[in-house]
Amino acid sequence: NCQLTVDTVRYRYAKGHDAVAGLDLQMGSGILGLLGPNGAGKSTLMRVLATLTRPTSGRVLWNGVDIARQPDALRTQLGYLPQDFGVYPALSAREFLVYLAAVKGLPSSTSRARVDDCLALVGLADAADRRLGDFSGGMRQRVGIAQALLNDPKLLIFDEPTVGLDPEERLRFRQLITDLAADRLVILSTHIVSDVEASATALAVMSKGRLLFSGAPEPLLAQA
Ligand code: ADP
Ligand code: ADP
């Protein structure tokens, strides 16, 4: 149950051009790698999909439900890592995630165990009680990945998730999302083809708000 349909979605900023210029996309479970240069519209599209903003026109359907009409149908099943994710440096990783779990409405009786599960999934179990202010950039980014997993979402949207990760962390991230994508939809944007060439089930290449290509990765990667 993770069918996403993007139907001629257009998004225009108040004083701008079309950042997303009429885009169609269909995905079920798996990993969709969203590639494209800076300014292509990837972050804008992801914010629309995450219901942070409404498209200027067009529709997004999650399991057949229009997310502009019923955003909660998606929000309760959504994990989102924004590009500008920030942590609160005075808190420990566990404290911060327990706080975010409460904000997301997770029941306090189970949230602590869930927080520890998510910290383990990103390899931070041993660092749970350390202050986030002492974390490396890669560790902070992994906290961002962990917070996206708290509510066991069916749709995961990761905006540039591998920025700041070292090669070992990148590899672990690819393994993690490959496991998750068995029965979830993971959408990630990246500049780095190697983040998605082995793991993505589909690729979409954006430029100037449009899709230059979308479909199975092989034909595209064969050209690269
Ligand atoms: P990407 O994530 O692919 O780098 P973005 O979605 O961030 O692309 O940006 C797409 C286009 O929208 C760019 O031309 C960018 O300058 C413009 N844009 C992004 N955010 C805003 C904003 N808040 N106001 C106006 N224009 C914006
Ligand atoms: P430990 O928990 O003792 O650090 P792990 O085998 O879990 O041992 O992790 C080894 C290293 O790999 C960690 O220091 C961390 O940097 C990295 N790592 C582990 N899991 C992940 C993950 N899911 N995502 C990113 N990096 C990870």
Side-chain angles (χ1 to χ4, degrees):
N1 278 30
C2 39
Q3 285 295 324
L4 183 73
T5 303
V6 177
D7 175 14
T8 45
V9 163
R10 187 175 297 278
Y11 189 92
R12 176 175 299 217
Y13 287 100
K15 285 181 185 168
H17 54 287
D18 285 353
V20 178
L23 194 145
D24 296 297
L25 206 54
Q26 287 242 28
M27 274 293 289
S29 61
I31 299 173
L32 173 66
L34 195 54
L35 296 163
N38 267 329
K42 304 182 297 295
S43 293
T44 304
L45 175 65
M46 292 180 127
R47 283 195 289 268
V48 168
L49 298 181
T51 75
L52 286 166
T53 186
R54 281 169 184 253
T56 309
S57 63
R59 295 184 312 160
V60 179
L61 306 181
W62 174 246
N63 294 324
V65 176
D66 185 334
I67 66 169
R69 291 173 192 271
Q70 281 180 255
D72 285 349
L74 175 62
R75 284 175 184 162
T76 53
Q77 300 181 16
L78 172 73
Y80 174 55
L81 173 64
Q83 202 171 10
D84 54 0
F85 180 76
V87 300
Y88 189 65
L91 296 183
S92 73
R94 183 185 279 126
E95 288 167 340
F96 184 55
L97 289 183
V98 165
Y99 165 76
L100 290 180
V103 170
K104 286 170 197 263
L106 270 67
S108 56
S109 56
T110 54
S111 74
R112 198 177 161 105
R114 181 64 193 159
V115 162
D116 286 347
D117 289 346
C118 292
L119 284 168
L121 282 171
V122 298
L124 289 176
D126 295 343
D129 294 316
R130 284 171 54 193
R131 280 176 76 255
L132 291 166
D134 298 330
F135 274 29
S136 69
M139 291 170 79
R140 284 183 207 186
Q141 189 69 346
R142 282 150 61 193
V143 172
I145 294 162
Q147 64 76 31
L149 302 176
L150 282 171
N151 57 337
D152 193 16
K154 282 290 188 182
L155 174 62
L156 278 152
I157 298 179
F158 292 123
D159 199 345
E160 303 271 0
T162 62
V163 167
L165 300 187
D166 65 28
E168 165 75 12
E169 291 175 319
R170 282 204 148 87
L171 181 65
R172 297 289 198 126
F173 175 73
R174 292 206 288 274
Q175 289 167 343
L176 174 66
I177 59 169
T178 300
D179 292 343
L180 291 169
D183 56 355
R184 296 176 185 81
L185 172 55
V186 180
I187 301 177
L188 73 146
S189 67
T190 184
H191 287 96
I192 300 160
V193 177
S194 65
D195 279 344
V196 287
E197 64 185 344
S199 54
T201 43
L203 290 181
V205 181
M206 271 186 93
S207 171
K208 298 179 182 170
R210 297 177 191 281
L211 283 187
L212 296 183
F213 170 95
S214 75
E218 289 77 17
L220 184 77
L221 296 172
Q223 287 175 32

